[in-house]
Structure formats: structure tokens, C-alpha cells
Amino acid sequence: EWVTVLPALDLAHRLNAPAIGNPASVQRGEDRPMAKLTDEKVRAIRDEYVPRQVTQASLAETYGATLMTINGIVRGTRWRHVT
């Protein structure tokens, strides 16, 4: 069955579920239950990364994260809320 966004939001409200797209209800970074990294580790990754000297692969191994995650952290597309 197809449902538009408005009935879905109405149902979520009636069930006392967080609103879809509500930034206040979004868990970020270390607040997520399955997070492997902390805000402190993300800062350390950004500090330690030096192109052509410290590889993203070595950081991924050190911190137990995927290469894609490390790449996103150093490019600023992941964990953007950490400064």
C-alpha cells in the first residue's frame, strides 16, 4: 500500500515517534548506538591525517573504521557536526 508523507507523519505523531526529517530527533555521531568512533577520535583522525604521509587506510585500521568512513571524515562529508 502506498502512503503519502502526511499520513505517515500523522501516524508517527500519534505513536509519539520522532518526526521524519526533524533535525532535533536525528542521532549523530557517538549518540548512535552502533557508533565505533567518538567525537574525540574524529578530531584525532583529522589531526593525524597528512596526505602522502599518513594514509587513510592506516587510520581506518588504527581506529577500527572503514576506509569510506575515514575518507568522509577527512573530506568533511561525515561527522560534520564535530569541529
Side-chain angles (χ1 to χ4, degrees), residues 58-80:
S58 68
L59 291 172
E61 187 175 325
T62 300
Y63 288 96
T66 66
L67 183 57
M68 281 184 58
T69 298
I70 299 298
N71 182 267
I73 289 170
V74 299
R75 287 186 308 123
T77 59
R78 294 191 180 207
W79 291 77
R80 289 179 286 197

Side-chain angles (χ1 to χ4, degrees), residues 35-75:
K36 293 181 180 179
L37 299 173
T38 62
D39 293 356
E40 183 178 322
K41 287 181 180 180
V42 169
R43 286 185 196 97
I45 289 167
R46 289 183 180 145
D47 289 343
E48 291 175 30
Y49 177 67
V50 178
R52 295 182 177 78
Q53 291 181 11
V54 178
T55 66
Q56 293 180 16
S58 68
L59 291 172
E61 187 175 325
T62 300
Y63 288 96
T66 66
L67 183 57
M68 281 184 58
T69 298
I70 299 298
N71 182 267
I73 289 170
V74 299
R75 287 186 308 123

Side-chain angles (χ1 to χ4, degrees), residues 22-41:
N22 179 356
S25 70
V26 176
Q27 291 179 325
R28 292 181 167 176
E30 63 186 27
D31 294 336
R32 297 179 64 99
M34 300 295 289
K36 293 181 180 179
L37 299 173
T38 62
D39 293 356
E40 183 178 322
K41 287 181 180 180

